Amino acid sequence: MKASIITIGDELLIGQTVDTNSAWLGSELSILGFDIYRKITIHDRREDILEALEEVKGKADVVLITGGLGPTSDDITKQTLCEFLNTKLVPDHEVLAMIETILTRHNFPMNENNRRQAEVPESCQVLKNSVGTAPGMWFEKDKTIFISMPGVPYEMKYIMTDQAIPRLKKRFTSQVVIHRNIMTYGVPEARLAEILTGFEASLPEMIRLAYLPSYGIIKLRLTATGSDNTLLTNILNTQIRKLYEIIPDLIFGENEELLEVVIGKLLKEKGRTVCSAESCTGGNIAHMLTSVPGSSLYYKGSVIAYNNNVKQELLNVPAEIIEKSGAVSEEAVSKMAEGARKLLKTDFSVATSGIAGPDGGTESKPVGTIWIAIASERGVVTEKHIFGSDRKVNITRFSVAALNLLRKQIISH
Amino acid sequence: MKASIITIGDELLIGQTVDTNSAWLGSELSILGFDIYRKITIHDRREDILEALEEVKGKADVVLITGGLGPTSDDITKQTLCEFLNTKLVPDHEVLAMIETILTRHNFPMNENNRRQAEVPESCQVLKNSVGTAPGMWFEKDKTIFISMPGVPYEMKYIMTDQAIPRLKKRFTSQVVIHRNIMTYGVPEARLAEILTGFEASLPEMIRLAYLPSYGIIKLRLTATGSDNTLLTNILNTQIRKLYEIIPDLIFGENEELLEVVIGKLLKEKGRTVCSAESCTGGNIAHMLTSVPGSSLYYKGSVIAYNNNVKQELLNVPAEIIEKSGAVSEEAVSKMAEGARKLLKTDFSVATSGIAGPDGGTESKPVGTIWIAIASERGVVTEKHIFGSDRKVNITRFSVAALNLLRKQIISH
């Protein structure tokens, strides 16, 4: 089963946009068991698109195409697909109705560009896009399936997940490829690899292990390939049980489960609530917690206390502590956690105070330093970390570290 | 002047690594005036590499290749280049000496793998790599220049900056390509294209316009190509002035500038401060504002009031308003903005209350509904929007809409 990816867009070639779409698509195709033999990026240019389509036609079983589906004149994918398929553009009435609904809601009139967005090549099947106005398209030529999607990442992901992947699964069933992910946090990749040396060496031949690190979280991906689903599942389960025996404290979830999702489940199970008091993370912990659907059941609110007066007035951090130990200190962050828990009346609170950078570091408290505190009915637990120098990376690493400490505290209750 | 980029590596195809190298290379080539007509990503596989090399040979003036130069058995680029060039691998004594120095420094013995790293195809010129052990290589075939570099980003960048770019500059008296971006917000892409129909039609031939949308923000990219830098810059400036005349209210910045960065500049200029009171955006506005370095100068803090009690107790939203109009209402969001501004003692406050989804919508307030309020010494300004059904997309779109209203309010003061 061979697949190819074609991404269309000048911005990808001149490096104005990093092509994250094709990495995501590659990962999804790979999970389905496809060998992605080639990715091609080309201009929004008729001849280039036609050339790329001709090249992969008959060679790949599936070709995923992104980009060039917008309503403006630089978007020429659809017309070019018509040429390739020897067909013409026709309006799709369902898509047109959806665009009309969206426009009406925003009080925009329908114009020629909008109408053009609802047009699709006559011989294609429309893949519904519920999060945007450009529909996805599925068509076949010379035994190759082509799937064309917009380049806007969330629209592309919606069409893939909701429409394309289910169809591809139905169509291609030959080889069984099962991926299982074990989510870990707590040690760096090199150290984890060292701990798992023996485990890796003893893995059965049909199983591959990959380490996928991201902001301190390391996803262990086990991939089993073969023909018997039940057999592979059993073997995978055995290996995963082994992992739980070797690194019980490092595993926090399975299969892409985020820390905030795990925390949400734990809080719902235990009927507990949480809030946050954030300085250096500036609302990112609140944002992560509330990105989970249904989080209003256990998340009540936060105080983002960037300014020291806010720490004192709203969270009751004594001025003496800030004067003596500074806002980035165990004492201050403990008071922040206690103050927020009391103010927002929750069972748990998570507080952060640190130096995200690029400025503000000192010899004793370099950029990347963070104090984390979790308050509960049992008192306050704290942790200190020192990460790197990049502000955005620090904010994410701070938040992940804080959520992991929160998770461990909730479990221990 | 045509260029192509070939990146080699399984990890790029299965999406384990996002290919940031080729974006960087594309940007550098584009600055040199090259038209990057195609990027290709392939496996570490002999036949695939040969096929890609044959395709671009004689077609591109310059081909940049990254990856497959490591010391392990899956790195086969060099052997394959020999086959392509009809030559053999020979040790490069300068590279060998350098590897020896590095190993001695770390107390590692020289092994067969290290020795292999010092080998290069006989007909190539070595491009020195002072930050790693894999040398870059420059060779020519059928009037095409091939430059092969390691895939490790900082090694690749070193070889490009220190060795390849100076040689390319000497070789190609370059064409000038200038990109300028105008950031807009306020109307959908199709509507913007309609407004700019006349502008687009009257653009001089050497200028291309592209629309790059993301969460309601549309980046207009103007690209000028020619030979005279000053002339092109002048023409671009004229066109950009025209844009400011046609859509003054929609433009919020230039060249990748984010709304939160523009807001930060405005607040610093005016010596004003801001806070947020967030319900449905759950801290994301605070997160966006604080992702800007130096934001502590104007951002004081936020109250994330997810729970209605928090809205009442901390932000003083009267219980009657929530009972009568609901938390997602113009009245409630106005009180939230006023309450936060008073509590956090800032000049401006931005408040949000809406339904991010996937649940919680009603007929009169569907998922995607948001009320935004900006409070200042002059009172409160509000706006209502209805976006789509995806929770994560909604949270981002809500935040962007709120920041844009905040920006407009700051400007009007």
Side-chain angles (χ1 to χ4, degrees):
Chain A
M1 280 157 56
K2 292 177 79 176
S4 186
I5 298 170
I6 300 174
T7 56
I8 302 172
D10 296 355
E11 70 283 5
L12 302 170
L13 289 166
I14 64 169
Q16 223 170 54
T17 303
V18 171
D19 178 13
T20 54
N21 277 352
S22 72
W24 188 87
L25 290 170
S27 161
E28 293 297 315
L29 283 173
S30 164
I31 288 168
L32 292 174
F34 284 96
D35 166 31
I36 305 108
Y37 73 98
R38 183 179 268 215
K39 284 194 325 196
I40 307 170
T41 307
I42 47 175
H43 280 295
D44 291 286
R45 203 150 58 189
R46 178 187 158 277
E47 314 84 72
D48 295 18
I49 297 174
L50 283 176
E51 192 186 357
L53 292 172
E54 288 294 341
E55 267 173 40
V56 292
K57 183 190 75 179
K59 219 167 159 184
D61 298 293
V62 172
V63 177
L64 303 183
I65 308 164
T66 65
L69 296 184
T72 53
S73 60
D74 60 328
D75 295 305
I76 56 155
T77 301
K78 274 198 299 204
Q79 295 86 305
T80 312
L81 286 176
C82 279
E83 206 173 321
F84 177 64
L85 295 170
N86 209 357
T87 183
K88 64 178 196 293
L89 285 175
V90 292
D92 183 277
H93 298 291
E94 217 173 307
V95 176
L96 193 65
M98 198 202 56
I99 294 176
E100 244 164 354
T101 311
I102 295 174
L103 289 172
T104 311
R105 205 191 283 157
H106 290 87
N107 277 325
F108 288 120
M110 170 78 87
N111 66 21
E112 204 35 58
N113 284 330
N114 299 130
R115 247 182 289 276
R116 256 209 305 270
Q117 282 215 281
E119 289 180 344
V120 293
E122 195 166 21
S123 57
C124 86
Q125 295 167 50
V126 169
L127 302 177
K128 207 174 137 190
N129 175 3
S130 299
V131 295
T133 47
M137 291 164 284
W138 170 296
F139 53 94
E140 300 183 26
K141 188 170 180 177
D142 292 357
K143 293 193 180 155
T144 298
I145 294 169
F146 293 84
I147 300 171
S148 167
M149 294 167 288
V152 181
Y154 64 85
E155 297 189 23
M156 177 282 288
K157 285 181 189 171
Y158 175 85
I159 294 171
M160 273 298 284
T161 311
D162 195 69
Q163 305 274 320
I165 291 175
R167 289 187 197 211
L168 288 173
K169 271 190 183 159
K170 252 192 223 161
R171 187 73 166 258
F172 299 91
T173 46
S174 59
Q175 202 185 25
V176 182
V177 179
I178 311 176
H179 295 280
R180 289 278 292 277
N181 296 302
I182 302 298
M183 311 294 283
T184 73
Y185 183 87
V187 294
E189 188 185 358
R191 174 73 191 118
L192 186 59
E194 201 175 42
I195 298 171
L196 297 180
T197 310
F199 170 79
E200 228 183 311
S202 72
L203 277 174
E205 213 182 321
M206 71 282 267
I207 296 190
R208 274 179 305 139
L209 171 67
Y211 294 77
L212 308 169
S214 169
Y215 298 106
I217 290 172
I218 300 163
K219 185 162 76 181
L220 296 171
R221 191 181 62 210
L222 290 156
T223 307
T225 315
S227 54
D228 185 337
N229 200 331
T230 318
L231 178 74
L232 290 179
T233 306
N234 286 339
I235 295 174
L236 269 177
N237 285 339
T238 308
Q239 295 305 322
I240 287 169
R241 268 198 302 278
K242 268 199 209 172
L243 272 180
Y244 273 97
E245 279 162 26
I246 305 170
I247 47 167
D249 295 341
L250 303 181
I251 298 175
F252 68 81
E254 295 193 11
N255 295 328
E256 314 285 331
E257 213 168 33
L258 300 171
L259 273 170
E260 51 270 36
V261 173
V262 173
I263 287 169
K265 280 188 186 167
L266 287 168
L267 289 170
K268 273 197 276 187
E269 249 172 60
K270 296 178 183 246
R272 301 298 188 93
T273 56
V274 72
C275 70
S276 71
E278 307 182 41
S279 184
C280 58
T281 50
N284 194 43
I285 293 176
H287 170 55
M288 289 169 84
L289 287 170
T290 57
S291 67
V292 181
S295 46
S296 57
L297 278 173
Y298 51 84
Y299 170 78
K300 289 177 87 172
S302 294
V303 172
I304 317 303
Y306 226 53
N307 188 284
N308 284 342
N309 289 336
V310 180
K311 292 186 184 79
Q312 289 170 35
E313 289 167 25
L314 257 76
L315 298 175
N316 267 321
V317 181
E320 308 88 77
I321 285 184
I322 295 180
E323 269 159 43
K324 226 186 80 189
S325 314
V328 180
S329 65
E330 184 169 22
E331 295 87 337
V333 80
S334 301
K335 290 289 174 195
M336 285 172 67
E338 286 174 339
R341 184 172 171 265
K342 206 171 149 192
L343 185 72
L344 296 160
K345 304 193 180 84
T346 56
D347 299 306
F348 295 93
S349 70
V350 48
T352 57
S353 187
I355 302 147
D359 304 316
T362 63
E363 189 123 339
S364 61
K365 291 174 188 172
V367 166
T369 303
I370 183 171
W371 274 102
I372 301 165
I374 311 292
S376 69
E377 80 233 24
R378 293 196 199 150
V380 182
V381 173
T382 61
E383 240 181 48
K384 184 192 175 185
H385 293 274
I386 303 176
F387 295 113
S389 58
D390 183 278
R391 182 179 182 84
K392 289 203 178 166
V393 174
N394 277 341
I395 291 174
T396 307
R397 294 215 61 172
F398 291 172
S399 307
V400 169
L403 287 180
N404 192 57
L405 187 60
L406 171 62
R407 179 187 68 87
K408 290 205 283 188
Q409 283 307 303
I410 300 171
I411 289 175
S412 79
H413 270 69
Chain B
M1 278 160 54
K2 292 176 77 177
S4 185
I5 298 171
I6 300 175
T7 57
I8 303 172
D10 297 354
E11 70 283 5
L12 302 170
L13 289 166
I14 64 168
Q16 229 169 51
T17 304
V18 171
D19 179 13
T20 53
N21 277 352
S22 70
W24 187 86
L25 290 169
S27 159
E28 293 297 316
L29 283 173
S30 167
I31 290 166
L32 290 174
F34 284 94
D35 165 31
I36 306 107
Y37 73 98
R38 182 180 269 214
K39 285 194 324 194
I40 307 171
T41 307
I42 47 175
H43 280 296
D44 292 286
R45 206 152 52 190
R46 178 187 157 276
E47 314 84 71
D48 296 16
I49 298 174
L50 284 176
E51 191 186 357
L53 292 172
E54 289 294 340
E55 269 174 37
V56 292
K57 185 190 72 181
K59 217 165 161 186
D61 298 293
V62 172
V63 177
L64 302 182
I65 307 165
T66 66
L69 297 183
T72 54
S73 58
D74 59 332
D75 294 305
I76 56 154
T77 302
K78 273 197 300 202
Q79 294 88 304
T80 311
L81 285 176
C82 279
E83 206 174 322
F84 176 65
L85 295 168
N86 210 357
T87 183
K88 63 178 197 294
L89 286 174
V90 292
D92 182 277
H93 297 293
E94 217 173 307
V95 177
L96 193 64
M98 198 204 57
I99 293 177
E100 246 164 352
T101 311
I102 294 175
L103 289 172
T104 311
R105 203 190 288 153
H106 290 89
N107 277 323
F108 288 123
M110 170 79 88
N111 65 21
E112 204 35 58
N113 281 335
N114 300 131
R115 247 182 289 274
R116 257 208 306 267
Q117 283 216 277
E119 290 180 344
V120 293
E122 197 166 19
S123 57
C124 85
Q125 294 167 51
V126 169
L127 301 177
K128 209 174 134 188
N129 175 3
S130 298
V131 294
T133 49
M137 292 164 285
W138 169 299
F139 52 95
E140 301 183 24
K141 189 171 179 176
D142 291 357
K143 291 191 181 157
T144 299
I145 294 170
F146 293 84
I147 300 172
S148 166
M149 292 168 288
V152 182
Y154 66 86
E155 298 189 24
M156 177 281 289
K157 285 180 190 173
Y158 176 85
I159 294 171
M160 273 298 284
T161 312
D162 195 68
Q163 305 275 319
I165 291 174
R167 289 187 197 213
L168 287 173
K169 271 189 182 160
K170 252 190 222 162
R171 187 73 166 259
F172 299 91
T173 42
S174 67
Q175 199 183 27
V176 181
V177 180
I178 310 175
H179 299 284
R180 290 278 291 277
N181 297 302
I182 302 298
M183 311 293 285
T184 73
Y185 183 87
V187 293
E189 190 184 356
R191 174 74 190 117
L192 186 59
E194 199 178 42
I195 299 171
L196 298 180
T197 310
F199 170 78
E200 228 183 311
S202 72
L203 276 174
E205 212 183 321
M206 71 282 265
I207 295 190
R208 274 180 305 141
L209 172 67
Y211 294 76
L212 308 168
S214 168
Y215 297 105
I217 290 171
I218 300 163
K219 187 163 75 183
L220 295 172
R221 191 184 60 216
L222 289 157
T223 307
T225 314
S227 55
D228 184 337
N229 200 329
T230 318
L231 178 74
L232 290 179
T233 305
N234 287 339
I235 295 175
L236 269 177
N237 285 340
T238 308
Q239 295 305 323
I240 287 169
R241 266 196 305 275
K242 268 200 209 169
L243 271 180
Y244 274 95
E245 279 162 27
I246 306 170
I247 47 168
D249 295 340
L250 302 181
I251 297 175
F252 68 81
E254 295 193 11
N255 296 327
E256 315 287 330
E257 216 169 31
L258 301 171
L259 272 171
E260 51 269 35
V261 172
V262 174
I263 287 169
K265 281 187 186 167
L266 287 169
L267 289 170
K268 273 196 279 188
E269 250 172 58
K270 295 179 181 243
R272 301 297 188 94
T273 56
V274 72
C275 69
S276 71
E278 307 182 41
S279 183
C280 58
T281 49
N284 194 44
I285 293 176
H287 170 55
M288 289 167 85
L289 287 170
T290 57
S291 67
V292 181
S295 44
S296 58
L297 279 173
Y298 51 82
Y299 170 79
K300 289 176 89 172
S302 293
V303 171
I304 317 304
Y306 227 54
N307 187 284
N308 284 344
N309 289 334
V310 180
K311 293 187 184 80
Q312 289 171 36
E313 289 168 25
L314 258 75
L315 298 175
N316 268 321
V317 180
E320 309 86 76
I321 285 185
I322 295 181
E323 268 158 43
K324 225 186 79 190
S325 313
V328 181
S329 65
E330 185 168 23
E331 296 88 335
V333 80
S334 300
K335 290 289 174 194
M336 285 173 66
E338 285 174 339
R341 183 171 173 267
K342 206 170 150 195
L343 185 72
L344 295 161
K345 305 191 180 83
T346 56
D347 299 305
F348 294 93
S349 70
V350 47
T352 57
S353 187
I355 302 149
D359 304 315
T362 62
E363 188 121 340
S364 60
K365 292 175 188 171
V367 167
T369 304
I370 182 169
W371 274 102
I372 302 166
I374 311 292
S376 70
E377 79 233 25
R378 293 197 201 151
V380 183
V381 172
T382 62
E383 238 181 50
K384 184 191 174 185
H385 293 274
I386 303 177
F387 295 112
S389 59
D390 184 277
R391 181 178 183 84
K392 289 200 177 170
V393 174
N394 277 341
I395 291 174
T396 307
R397 295 214 60 173
F398 290 172
S399 307
V400 169
L403 287 179
N404 192 57
L405 187 60
L406 170 63
R407 179 188 68 86
K408 290 204 283 188
Q409 283 306 303
I410 300 171
I411 289 173
S412 79
H413 271 69

